[in-house]
Amino acid sequence: MLGILLALVIAALAAPLCVRALGRNGFYVLALVPFGCLGWVIANWGSTQRVRVQWASSIDMNIELRFDSLAAIMSALVLGVGAVILTYCARYFEDDEPRLLVFAAQLVAFAAAMFGLVVSDNMLLLYVFWEMTTVLSFLLVGHHAEQAVSRRAAIQALLVTGAGGLAMLVGIVILGQVSGSYLLSDLLAGAPSGIAVDVAVVLLLAGALSKSAIVPLHFWLPGAMAAPTPVSAYLHAAAMVKAGVYLVARLAPVFAESPAWHPLILTLGVASMVLAGLRSLQVTDLKLVLAFGTVSQLGLLIMLVGLGTPDAALAGSALIVAHALFKACLFMVVGIIDHGAGTRDLRELSGLGRRAPVLCGVAVLAALSMAGIAPLVGFVGKESALAAVLDADVLAIPAKAALAVGVMLGSTLTVAYSIRFIWGAFADREVLSGSEQVRLAEHGCSENGQWHAPGALFTAAPAVLAVGSLVAGLGTPWLDELLNPYAKTLPGMLDSHLALWHGFAFPLALTILIIVAGIVIFQLRGHIGESATMLGNADRAYDATLRAMDRLSLRMTGAVQRGSLPLSQAAILVTLILLPTVLLAIDTRTGVRLRLWDSPFQVVIGAIMAVMTLAATVLRNRLASVLVVGVSGYGCGVIFALHGAPDLALTQFLVETLTLVIFMLVLRAFPAEIEESRTAPFKVRRAILSALVGATVAVLAAFAVAARSTEPIWHLIPDAAYTFGGGKNAVNVLLVDIRAWDTLGEISVLVVAATGVASLVFRSRRFGSAPRAADAPNYDPELISWLPAGRLVDRRDRSMVLQVTTRLVFPTIMVLSVYFFFSGHNAPGGGFAGGLTAGLALTLRYLAGGPYELGEALPVDAGHLLGGGLALAAGTASTSLLLGAPPLSSAIVEVTLPLIGHIKVVTALFFDLGVYLIVVGLVLDVLRSLGARLDSELATDEDESASVRGGSR
């Protein structure tokens, strides 16, 4: 199982390269991966396989995979249908399709996420894969991002399924905490009970029903038809929408007796069957006919697997297989029709049955299975479903009768829209009514309209699935043998078996009645009123909900955000004062033991910091205010050093220096002095509030220090750092090993912040990815300079002392940066400190040589450094996991080399290198945004001012 996941992930990563090299034919190569993985599923069918990779056991986040009968059924569909869809993509798309490389990667990644979902035994891991399918569905549905309808559909699907997923996460946490285990296998072996469990079950069902598009959360699925047809055929017919059905089927053996289980599942399942079936008779887009049909059949599927009896589970699993085969096939047929005729509107199609007889035959075969006609597998599943409902002893007689009527009505509508699909796609014009012919004439459609016949490879993909429906129907005993192991996991006796012929029994009579009634409804389809359309259209409710949430958010924002920054800050600070103070006054169990200082130097430094802080509040010169604030920061670094924390002191000094430089870069665009109109007079209330905030923070710190009642953990950190992390610098080992997940999150925030700054400043793209001196308009290649871009600086702004100093100091600072990086594991330094030092060196080059000097110093795009550093840091975590170790854990390699001597290398060095690159990229981004871009704008403003002055003269 883990090998399949890795193979699919590798295929997803390699997909862009494959498609770039081979064009659309690269999809054939990609299809070999899920097809080969399907072989493993078939070879292990009927067995139970387990994989356990220890990760974060303390929070139950081990990677637990379990392959059993239900997982085998779903895995076969995910991998088998996925392989067919990938081959279909090779003919559906053209080589010049926009974003085809990304699409290929996303589609294969979705197969990996879906496979991981169905084999996950750890519910938290299942949730991770669950949300991965949500995100990938969002990306795939929004493939045509330039179209508003695609963006709306993608966001709608993300919001609905994402909200359901969050509810499901809460249910998972409740179940895990109540049962004491997050493993599905443990839960199924002995499920807990109680009110909390009942609430958790409802939350889990909310996630399942939203994912499987069950009424009233069904509207996102028809909207998702804006996606390319392969996405509809895979995600919205065979895979993603089955995730909710799978979850219900997985939990049914133990939670079918829960109080809310049957009322929710059976009621909403039947409502979905009927309402969506009616809607499928109203829409004219062939994809929408299939989409609403999918919602209808998902209602039937979730009702069967949620009924909680072995017979219903067997029928449900048979229909899961049948639905994947015929619905994916029909979606692909619609894609071929759209390619060949240029439309999917059944009002504009005529005569395709004669023009494309093979395609028509494929569609008819799949539609017969969808309608439940023998000898297709859909008939087998429908017959079993009727028998299971009629024999459901877990329901009271009235409930059983109502359920049977609902299933019959939904099945009747299925027959009707199956006929309507074939009639709308392939019927000759002569069989159309007069009103239909008028509409066709209005649309300019004629029987001799343009039609591009599909190639054999294009038709082969849906044909495989259509033939599969026939083979599965004829091979029912074999199918029964494959599916009944799951049915036997439910409580009770499995009394039925899948078969094409059960004799002249009551379900057969109901099937005949359903078929006849379906034909009648098809004939009367024009008389289905507008009310049926309104009943099934929840899109308006979705829009109304979003509008209501927008209005509520505006009112809340208007109530708490008055547009005054001082007022907002005051509200936050007052809360900071009152809340902790009240809680301390009510329940304080510790006293306060203060040691104000360890040496007189600390008193002196603290006094200097206090004076500088007060000075910042009264100075009117902006640069002076920044400098005195910087003095306070440097004072904090000195205190760190006096306390024996040179690593923290070094980082503080570097950060403070870089911050000062950034402030000065920004302040260039401001006047030196704060204008008189902007100078606020002394306000007693603000002074009192500031003093109270400072006192509150000091008191909280004192109580926090005094609250420790056990031996502090820092006594253990130095030994643990050397034993487990292989380093003597405990701070750096904490950052890159022991608490590396925190660091990974923090550097991710840095990347996001850098991207945000670039987006705000540049709006479209990063300015000057690597501007070189040769790109300058006044560059003279014959002038040789030891600072290549130095001569490009205006003589009024040029400092020869600074340029000479930079030339001498820059190499030294870079060597110091490298030293900090390599020595950081055992001495003060590390990737963060080394990156900051390199950033200071680049800042010096920029100040001495101007914006073009940055390109000479480091001719690399800042975004590439940020992305490469993040990939390197995250890759270190993944590599540890692949090697069977906890993520981000360190491996120590010791070698002795000639001339060099003994070398000890810790794999955390590569994680630290990622941090180094991110910090350098961040500084480079800031310098090119707040520095080079601002230089350009200031120069433009000066030129415009000069031209205005010249014109006025």
Side-chain angles (χ1 to χ4, degrees), residues 48 114 280 318 344 432 455 508 529 597 610 651 671 709 743 763 838 872 911 932 946:
T48 300
M114 193 66 198
S280 67
R344 302 191 305 254
L432 302 178
L508 180 61
W597 58 77
T651 304
S709 58
T743 307
R763 295 187 297 277
L872 189 60
F911 181 87

Side-chain angles (χ1 to χ4, degrees), residues 281-569:
L281 295 174
Q282 293 292 308
V283 294
T284 57
D285 188 320
L286 289 176
K287 278 185 77 172
L288 285 181
V289 173
L290 295 179
F292 281 108
T294 299
V295 173
S296 178
Q297 287 145 3
L298 287 171
L300 175 61
L301 290 176
I302 212 153
M303 182 271 295
L304 286 173
V305 298
L307 195 54
T309 65
D311 293 343
L314 180 62
S317 57
L319 278 176
I320 287 174
V321 175
H323 181 264
L325 293 174
F326 65 67
K327 191 56 65 72
C329 170
L330 291 174
F331 269 117
M332 287 191 282
V333 167
V334 172
I336 294 174
I337 292 174
D338 197 8
H339 263 245
T343 182
R344 302 191 305 254
D345 195 325
L346 56 82
R347 297 170 299 181
E348 301 176 9
L349 295 169
S350 177
L352 291 188
R354 290 182 289 102
R355 300 182 187 184
V358 175
L359 184 64
C360 180
V362 169
V364 168
L365 204 59
L368 289 174
S369 182
M370 182 165 65
I373 309 298
L376 281 302
V377 68
F379 167 78
V380 176
K382 194 67 66 67
E383 281 257 297
S384 301
L386 291 171
V389 171
L390 293 173
D391 296 336
D393 295 333
V394 296
L395 300 177
I397 293 178
K400 185 192 303 184
L403 189 62
V405 171
V407 172
M408 290 180 60
L409 181 56
S411 301
T412 301
L413 293 172
T414 302
V415 173
Y417 64 68
S418 298
I419 300 173
R420 185 170 186 257
F421 177 85
I422 297 299
W423 168 82
F426 297 100
D428 282 328
R429 183 170 301 173
E430 287 77 12
V431 301
L432 302 178
S433 64
S435 60
E436 294 286 351
Q437 291 186 31
V438 171
R439 282 199 296 270
L440 285 171
E442 290 174 352
H443 284 278
C445 181
S446 66
E447 187 176 342
N448 298 320
Q450 187 178 18
W451 167 252
H452 299 288
L457 292 175
F458 204 8
T459 310
V464 168
L465 298 183
V467 173
S469 297
L470 179 61
V471 171
L474 296 176
T476 302
W478 169 75
L479 184 65
D480 178 75
E481 184 179 349
L482 293 177
L483 301 183
N484 65 42
Y486 161 67
K488 292 178 180 178
T489 63
L490 279 90
M493 294 294 295
L494 179 62
D495 298 324
S496 64
H497 295 279
L498 299 177
L500 266 177
W501 179 250
H502 287 287
F504 293 99
F506 188 51
L508 180 61
L510 293 180
T511 298
I512 296 173
L513 178 61
I514 288 169
I515 294 172
V516 173
I519 296 173
V520 172
I521 290 178
F522 168 73
Q523 295 295 333
L524 300 175
R525 66 194 179 278
H527 299 284
I528 298 177
E530 188 67 21
S531 58
T533 302
M534 296 301 297
L535 282 173
N537 188 359
D539 225 21
R540 297 182 182 180
Y542 166 79
D543 291 333
T545 302
L546 289 186
R547 287 195 297 270
M549 293 177 66
D550 286 340
R551 288 195 296 270
L552 178 62
S553 65
L554 287 174
R555 289 178 181 176
M556 292 180 62
T557 303
V560 300
Q561 298 288 341
R562 296 294 184 179
S564 171
L565 182 59
L567 183 62
S568 299
Q569 284 184 321

